[in-house]
Amino acid sequence: MGVMTGVATTRRSRITPEREAELYTAVLDLLREVGYDALTMDAVAARTRSSKATLYRQWGGKAELVVKAVRCIKPGNTADIDTGSLRGDLLALVGREDDAVMEQNSALLRGLAMAIHTNPDLLQALQELLVEPEMKEFHRVIRRAVDRGEVRADNPALEYMVHMMLGAFATRALLEQRPPTRAFLTSYVDAVVLPALGVPTDR
Amino acid sequence: MGVMTGVATTRRSRITPEREAELYTAVLDLLREVGYDALTMDAVAARTRSSKATLYRQWGGKAELVVKAVRCIKPGNTADIDTGSLRGDLLALVGREDDAVMEQNSALLRGLAMAIHTNPDLLQALQELLVEPEMKEFHRVIRRAVDRGEVRADNPALEYMVHMMLGAFATRALLEQRPPTRAFLTSYVDAVVLPALGVPTDR
């Protein structure tokens, strides 16, 4: 990646940031519609009214273009989540994106599922740009719950936060073919996540 | 599907069951290696030393061939799992396939993740042939736990068994790119599944 990125950065200065954002949006849309393997540079060129030659000159190839597009996704803002209870914080976290954005992310996950296996750069970009920032927020919220005495610091479910959360998300997206709505995630947090963490719920 | 299946069944009588099994094995291997979208009839023909014409005459197309291949996967035997405790039953269930088989299923899931979205027949075959029989076993084991009084019949986590289990599996397979080993699943059952179901563990 190192050399390619350097080259691409230099070359990218030829197009405006607005045009670049437009291209990345089109690439993300195509990923959701047809998936990584079926996405062609021809389709990107047609959708964005660019020439294929320009795309290749600018990004080098499909993998680079897709990684750059994924890097553009900004997770929702979570900086001021601090409700005073773990349940409140978790529900605020899972509820901060509206259902339409969740449907989009869900489609993106389906579109990239196979490709991340055969493209290590893509997996790394997804982890660094989407999963890690997301899990960092969950861990921040949980650290406060541990400090408050709500959760024991040695609770074994703590190391499975990503499996519980991303697991529910992936099962909905892949198997049930439904986006993980706020209602679903709220119910899941109450039924699974809080009991696993040893936090009493109303049930 | 109805008509196509009828036609394929009639035509299939021309090849031996052994040859058919060989072809399906090759298709499943290719799915794991390259995924559904990148799988071509040319590759299947080359791998199995058949002619493309034969494949099309026999199965009609890639979707039909893949669905038939997926239909051949037999989940491990679970009929005699009854250890007397929910923990014992769950660990027997998640431990019945050896780690090599789990790695294969994990690769298959990656290979099919995008395709099941655009091919409803494929999703239906996967659900009927892999997910539903699997979840039926989990529910059988849980019903006995409810009857024994280990789990409350109205525990809200009961409806998320598939999310908890398949979730852990999918997160390992897609994000961590590691097969869900017996050791991982045992630890996950103890840390997440049993506490969510309100079953006391040693911790």
Side-chain angles (χ1 to χ4, degrees), chain B residues 46-79:
Chain B
R47 180 76 60 104
T48 60
R49 295 176 309 276
S50 338
S51 77
K52 251 169 66 171
T54 305
L55 295 177
Y56 277 108
R57 197 173 55 237
Q58 201 78 25
W59 283 278
K62 182 168 101 168
E64 290 83 357
L65 178 56
V66 166
V67 169
K68 296 275 179 189
V70 169
R71 281 185 192 277
C72 276
I73 299 172
K74 298 268 179 300
N77 182 34
T78 57

Side-chain angles (χ1 to χ4, degrees), chain B residues 8-81:
Chain B
T9 306
T10 312
R11 284 177 179 161
R12 207 163 56 246
S13 60
R14 292 182 198 173
I15 63 166
T16 65
E18 291 72 24
R19 180 65 179 145
E20 206 184 330
E22 204 178 292
L23 275 159
Y24 293 152
T25 302
V27 170
L28 293 173
D29 285 343
L30 281 166
L31 279 174
R32 293 179 187 113
E33 290 164 26
V34 302
Y36 183 87
D37 285 330
L39 183 145
T40 61
M41 291 299 255
D42 279 319
V44 175
R47 180 76 60 104
T48 60
R49 295 176 309 276
S50 338
S51 77
K52 251 169 66 171
T54 305
L55 295 177
Y56 277 108
R57 197 173 55 237
Q58 201 78 25
W59 283 278
K62 182 168 101 168
E64 290 83 357
L65 178 56
V66 166
V67 169
K68 296 275 179 189
V70 169
R71 281 185 192 277
C72 276
I73 299 172
K74 298 268 179 300
N77 182 34
T78 57
D80 37 345
I81 290 179

Side-chain angles (χ1 to χ4, degrees), chain B residues 16-146:
Chain B
T16 65
E18 291 72 24
R19 180 65 179 145
E20 206 184 330
E22 204 178 292
L23 275 159
Y24 293 152
T25 302
V27 170
L28 293 173
D29 285 343
L30 281 166
L31 279 174
R32 293 179 187 113
E33 290 164 26
V34 302
Y36 183 87
D37 285 330
L39 183 145
T40 61
M41 291 299 255
D42 279 319
V44 175
R47 180 76 60 104
T48 60
R49 295 176 309 276
S50 338
S51 77
K52 251 169 66 171
T54 305
L55 295 177
Y56 277 108
R57 197 173 55 237
Q58 201 78 25
W59 283 278
K62 182 168 101 168
E64 290 83 357
L65 178 56
V66 166
V67 169
K68 296 275 179 189
V70 169
R71 281 185 192 277
C72 276
I73 299 172
K74 298 268 179 300
N77 182 34
T78 57
D80 37 345
I81 290 179
D82 188 1
T83 66
S85 79
L86 178 59
R87 179 171 191 271
D89 283 0
L90 286 178
L91 296 188
L93 259 185
V94 301
R96 74 188 188 281
E97 306 280 19
D98 66 29
D99 290 353
V101 172
M102 302 246 236
E103 166 59 51
Q104 289 186 338
N105 291 343
S106 180
L108 194 64
L109 178 71
R110 285 191 297 259
L112 292 172
M114 179 67 198
I116 58 180
H117 185 55
T118 42
N119 298 272
D121 286 353
L122 198 58
L123 174 62
Q124 203 189 327
L126 267 179
Q127 275 179 322
E128 283 174 14
L129 298 156
L130 293 177
V131 180
E132 280 168 24
E134 185 78 0
M135 293 323 296
K136 218 174 112 186
E137 290 310 310
F138 276 94
H139 287 126
R140 197 169 61 84
V141 150
I142 282 167
R143 205 175 320 120
R144 279 206 309 264
V146 170

